Amino acid sequence: MANSGSVADMAAVLQALKSIQESQIQLQEGFVSLSQRMDQVAPPVSSTDDDMAEKGSQVTKTAVASTATVESTTTPTASTETAIQAQKSGFTSRIILTTYPKQIGIVPLPFKWGAPEPAERGPVVVSRSSSTIGRRNAHGGSYSIYFALALASKQLDINHKPDFTNTEPAANIGPFPQWGDPKKIVAMDPWGHLAPWLFADTIKNENVDIRPTIAITKAHMKLPELEESVRAGRLVPDGKICLNSAGELAVTKFAVEPVWYLPGVAERFGIDEGVLRRSLFEHTGGSYPELITRGDIKVFLPPIGGLTVYCFGDPAKMSDEKVRLALRIHDECNGSDVFGSDICTCRPYLIYGIEEAVKEAQNGGSGVVIYFRKEGRALGEVTKYLVYNARKRGEDRASDYFKRTENIAGVKDMRFQALMPDILHWLGIKKIDRMLSMSNMKHDAIVGQGIPIHERVELPEEWIPQDSRVEIDAKITAGYFTTGHRMTEDELKAVKGRMWEDIDH
């Protein structure tokens, strides 16, 4: 009997605690609502530049007063003016600097990365809208900076709810066993293309903002080189994949935004999750404090570029081990890919990869090109152009190719291909028959994830622009794949690029 009484007493205590928590949540929600209403009814005032400076100073002072939520506690006049300015920008006077686990009002939606079924896994929720901020189980966002600008300039309502009518994927993909393996996919959401439909009840019944991180569509592709490919007989129009004599192609496209499962990303790089969180926090200027304060949030949407998959032929064949697959993994190079610079082999290899992918699809297999936004080896275009300047003001020898980059950036490559194979797992790819790449980093990352590569295909000599010999010969000497000659150090020194004033070639 005594034991029964203890159990009853404990149940009563737990019920009382639950009641207190619910009351606190209601109190917080009421306070937020009242704060918003106060901002809305604040009387309009005119402000001088000095007033604005004073208000900015006031916001700064109040912001450092707490690491959680911030309320102005200074004079009524300053507080009112701060509230008015916030209201004019579409914000309240209350600034949320960060949140903490088990904080009042913080009840993240359940989430289990690697769960085989979407209902068990749960949605990725990142929105900071008033109805969703307490339910988030992720933070960041690949376009979060532009999103913030749109809010600040009052071009966008933070509580806007998208209408996803007729936006469903234009092709079916998966699910595959890899989607439920937390070791194979750590850098994208396997269910990201279906999120608004899989979790429609949560969106409707719990008023939670859930967005897709993958979209799938169909399109036609027209590139001038492909018309030349048809004229030269390398591509033959079939009316299905290569549509006509202009070299127009039918393609299925998959746009993917990065979604990082932090424990998995840390493991993939062989580092501690805490070290990863701290580095991301400190080197984004402290933009994401919940990386530090919310250890319970394991998912981060980094503000970096994503990737696009271009599939030629039937998308279902990508995962079919009975048919051949040709694949080109391509990292962004705006200068060459878009504007035709001949200092590198990027656009030639991209076009060659598309050609070969199309031919494989026409032969009954699958052809895939995956385009990653990693401009300038993920060092950026500014660094790339500084390197170009250093090369062209020197002797631009192949023997100094990587040294030029290391002198400026401290590293010769920051693409870190360790996360790249995730998209292959998501597509259900289990083997690659023809890998249209010479990169040893890409090869090793893919094979290291258990996907065999049966043949590596280098860029044919006739596709290499003269001024890009510096790049390609340096890469081959450094270990890039080739079936041809690998230069000696002396031979490499003799390979020189075109100078700015040289117009002969």
Side-chain angles (χ1 to χ4, degrees), residues 456-504:
R456 301 174 71 179
V457 183
E458 60 188 307
L459 183 64
E461 281 289 321
E462 62 268 22
W463 287 73
I464 300 174
Q466 181 61 38
D467 198 41
S468 68
R469 294 272 15 153
V470 170
E471 173 221 23
I472 198 69
D473 289 336
K475 287 181 175 180
I476 289 172
T477 303
Y480 271 44
F481 171 76
T482 183
T483 57
H485 176 63
R486 203 176 294 275
M487 292 185 173
T488 65
E489 185 174 342
D490 288 339
E491 289 174 324
L492 201 64
K493 288 179 180 178
V495 179
K496 295 179 64 176
R498 181 180 63 235
M499 296 295 101
W500 283 331
E501 63 275 8
D502 183 0
I503 60 172
D504 290 338

Side-chain angles (χ1 to χ4, degrees), residues 279-398:
S279 186
L280 290 171
F281 169 71
E282 291 184 346
H283 296 287
T284 56
S287 297
Y288 301 97
E290 286 169 326
L291 285 165
I292 304 300
T293 65
R294 294 293 302 275
D296 61 317
I297 292 182
K298 300 295 185 180
V299 176
F300 177 55
L301 278 64
I304 60 176
L307 64 91
T308 306
V309 177
Y310 296 86
C311 175
F312 302 98
D314 183 359
K317 290 187 176 182
M318 289 187 288
S319 59
D320 188 347
E321 292 184 89
K322 297 177 183 178
V323 303
R324 288 172 57 83
L325 172 73
L327 172 70
R328 166 70 184 164
I329 300 288
H330 191 93
D331 292 326
E332 177 184 23
C333 175
N334 183 63
S336 178
D337 296 343
V338 179
F339 294 100
S341 171
D342 67 349
I343 199 172
C344 62
T345 58
C346 293
R347 185 179 175 97
Y349 221 150
L350 178 60
I351 299 298
Y352 178 70
I354 292 172
E355 270 197 22
E356 294 300 306
V358 169
K359 287 190 281 189
E360 195 69 71
Q362 288 180 319
N363 290 331
S366 179
V368 181
V369 174
I370 306 179
Y371 194 91
F372 284 82
R373 271 70 179 187
K374 296 179 181 178
E375 175 61 59
R377 300 188 210 140
L379 297 167
E381 213 165 21
V382 169
T383 296
K384 177 193 280 190
Y385 287 4
L386 293 174
V387 172
Y388 287 171
N389 287 349
R391 285 175 56 185
K392 297 306 181 181
R393 287 191 174 111
E395 295 184 322
D396 196 16
R397 296 182 185 275

Side-chain angles (χ1 to χ4, degrees), residues 100 133 158 207 210 215 289 291 304 317 334 441 470 474:
Y100 298 89
I133 188 168
I158 192 172
N207 195 25
I210 299 173
L291 285 165
I304 60 176
K317 290 187 176 182
N334 183 63
M441 289 176 62
V470 170

